[in-house]
Amino acid sequence: MSYPEGSIIPRPEHPISRADIDVDVLKVLYRLHHKGHLAYLVGGGIRDLWLGKQPKDFDIATDAHPQEIRRIFRNSRIIGKRFRLVQVFFKGGKIVEVSTFRSRSEFDAEVDMLAPNNTFGSPVEDAQRRDLTINALFYNIADFSILDYVGGVKDLQDGIIRVVGPPEIRFQRDPVRMLRVLRHASRTGFQIDPTAWSAIQSYRHLIRLCSPARVRDELLKDFRSGYCRDFFQLMLASGLLAAIFPHIEETTDGAAFSGLQPRMQAVFGTIDLLTMGGLSLSEAFFWTAFLIPFLEKVTVLPFQQIEPETVAKYVDESLSPLEFARGRRDEVIMRLVTVSQLMHQLGAGRRVSARLKRRLCLPEAWLLYHILTGASQKFFEDIIAQQSVKPVLPEKPPTTKRRRGRRRTHRKKVSPI
């Protein structure tokens, strides 16, 4: 059944059940409701439940203001300055975030001219300020219905990623929304609305106006998502990758840049397998894996013969658009150098040097070595089963020990004559 914008979908006509909602989230929803407030489950939690996925977290929106929410829940605190929300604490370190309906996004340009108490709004206004239609649905705990003010249900049914409002305006106000379009397209497998796709290609250069640290953190979410292969394929196709990393595009000619897709898909496909399997990997690991396909293209020498100075210079120039602590940068460089040296030594059938064995990054570098050399899927499944990376390196061949005994000296006999 198709529903137009402004629809209220009753419980019998949608797949979301309270049995799939976290118990503590239900406690917060019901307490707000019993206190006479609107209490809605909002955002990605509804999207995931509709698609049959288990949400990582649940967010709640209400008409109660932060101070009112704080009085209702003693186990809570208010965070944020202009856009305040309330964190409600439960046992085990669990946190349920509750926000008041807002009239605007914190990244809209007009917000800077508004006083904090003028940012609260109605459910309709709150839906309109969200980024995507499939993230702008509300689940009403009062009657278990779904409220859809932007046509999100129809887009879920049709498999469309659509921006709330005109994409060109929304992207100019907050260019990071372009990354979120690609993110949800890769995670859901939905098609991107042609209007939004065209706007991304037209305004992709605006991503450079965003805070470098914010863009870096957004990309890290996609590295860890389990869908980074599809995400970076969309990044390449849309031109956003080149917009964020201009040095990579400049040092890689057009034909080679477009030809990176097979290599990136192979590398990130394996990383997705490891991530979905629950293997814990460092941030430096992901950035190292990201840079390797580009570094292979721009160097004259084979990857296993690249000098450490060349690696350091390339990392500095490539990651300069993003804010990296010096320590994190050095971790990436060390992993790249170690992978290169592993490929040189293991590829030649030699033993791994003692210096490499002492490096703390050896386990992740050893894993990257096997990703680059195309190890079997069973190899990576065994690592997932162990939930740890333990390098297996060639041992020094045993040597035959010489029998040590008393050394005999033969003196030349001297004639007594």
Side-chain angles (χ1 to χ4, degrees), residues 326-395:
R326 185 174 182 84
R328 187 59 41 80
R329 161 197 167 277
D330 291 343
E331 289 175 1
V332 174
I333 293 172
M334 185 56 69
R335 279 161 175 76
L336 281 169
V337 170
T338 305
V339 173
S340 172
Q341 292 172 344
L342 281 175
M343 294 186 74
H344 177 66
Q345 294 178 8
L346 295 178
R350 296 162 51 189
R351 290 188 304 110
V352 175
S353 65
R355 184 177 59 179
L356 256 65
K357 290 181 180 180
R358 290 194 294 268
R359 291 180 183 171
L360 296 178
C361 68
L362 179 64
E364 289 191 344
W366 179 79
L367 181 59
L368 280 167
Y369 163 79
H370 285 284
I371 291 174
L372 295 173
T373 53
S376 67
Q377 183 168 334
K378 185 180 183 305
F379 173 85
F380 298 109
E381 289 174 349
D382 291 342
I383 290 178
I384 292 172
Q386 298 168 7
Q387 285 296 297
S388 64
V389 182
K390 298 178 181 178
V392 179
L393 302 173
E395 295 292 337

Side-chain angles (χ1 to χ4, degrees), residues 240-390:
L240 263 175
L241 191 67
I244 296 174
F245 301 101
H247 176 262
I248 291 178
E249 184 185 31
E250 291 168 4
T251 55
T252 311
D253 59 62
F257 193 79
S258 60
L260 284 167
Q261 184 171 330
R263 183 61 159 167
M264 291 186 71
Q265 282 189 313
V267 171
F268 286 135
T270 304
I271 290 176
D272 286 341
L273 174 68
L274 297 170
T275 305
M276 296 293 276
L279 189 67
S280 178
L281 298 166
S282 70
E283 179 182 346
F285 173 89
F286 292 108
W287 289 112
T288 304
F290 169 72
L291 288 177
I292 284 175
F294 300 101
L295 193 54
E296 289 176 328
K297 286 286 184 182
V298 301
T299 53
V300 178
L301 294 173
F303 179 68
Q304 58 266 33
Q305 297 178 20
I306 300 175
E307 294 295 328
E309 295 78 11
T310 303
V311 172
K313 181 180 178 183
Y314 188 79
V315 171
D316 284 340
E317 293 174 341
S318 298
L319 299 183
S320 60
L322 307 180
E323 287 184 0
F324 275 86
R326 185 174 182 84
R328 187 59 41 80
R329 161 197 167 277
D330 291 343
E331 289 175 1
V332 174
I333 293 172
M334 185 56 69
R335 279 161 175 76
L336 281 169
V337 170
T338 305
V339 173
S340 172
Q341 292 172 344
L342 281 175
M343 294 186 74
H344 177 66
Q345 294 178 8
L346 295 178
R350 296 162 51 189
R351 290 188 304 110
V352 175
S353 65
R355 184 177 59 179
L356 256 65
K357 290 181 180 180
R358 290 194 294 268
R359 291 180 183 171
L360 296 178
C361 68
L362 179 64
E364 289 191 344
W366 179 79
L367 181 59
L368 280 167
Y369 163 79
H370 285 284
I371 291 174
L372 295 173
T373 53
S376 67
Q377 183 168 334
K378 185 180 183 305
F379 173 85
F380 298 109
E381 289 174 349
D382 291 342
I383 290 178
I384 292 172
Q386 298 168 7
Q387 285 296 297
S388 64
V389 182
K390 298 178 181 178

Side-chain angles (χ1 to χ4, degrees), residues 56-69:
K56 293 183 178 179
D57 51 37
F58 295 92
D59 294 322
I60 295 173
T62 178
D63 58 352
H65 286 201
Q67 291 295 344
E68 295 177 287
I69 302 170

Side-chain angles (χ1 to χ4, degrees), residues 166-223:
E168 59 275 7
I169 295 177
R170 303 308 298 275
F171 293 160
Q172 289 181 70
R173 290 181 176 176
D174 181 16
V176 167
R177 288 178 176 134
M178 294 185 285
L179 295 178
R180 292 175 182 165
V181 169
L182 305 189
R183 172 181 303 156
H184 290 291
S186 63
R187 295 187 185 188
T188 59
F190 288 3
Q191 295 295 316
I192 298 174
D193 170 52
T195 305
W197 181 256
S198 177
I200 290 173
Q201 293 178 310
S202 299
Y203 295 98
R204 62 184 185 271
H205 62 281
L206 296 179
I207 196 70
R208 300 174 187 173
L209 303 178
C210 297
S211 162
R214 185 175 171 226
V215 175
R216 181 201 64 218
D217 292 343
E218 290 287 332
L219 291 177
L220 188 59
K221 292 178 185 178
D222 295 292
F223 278 133

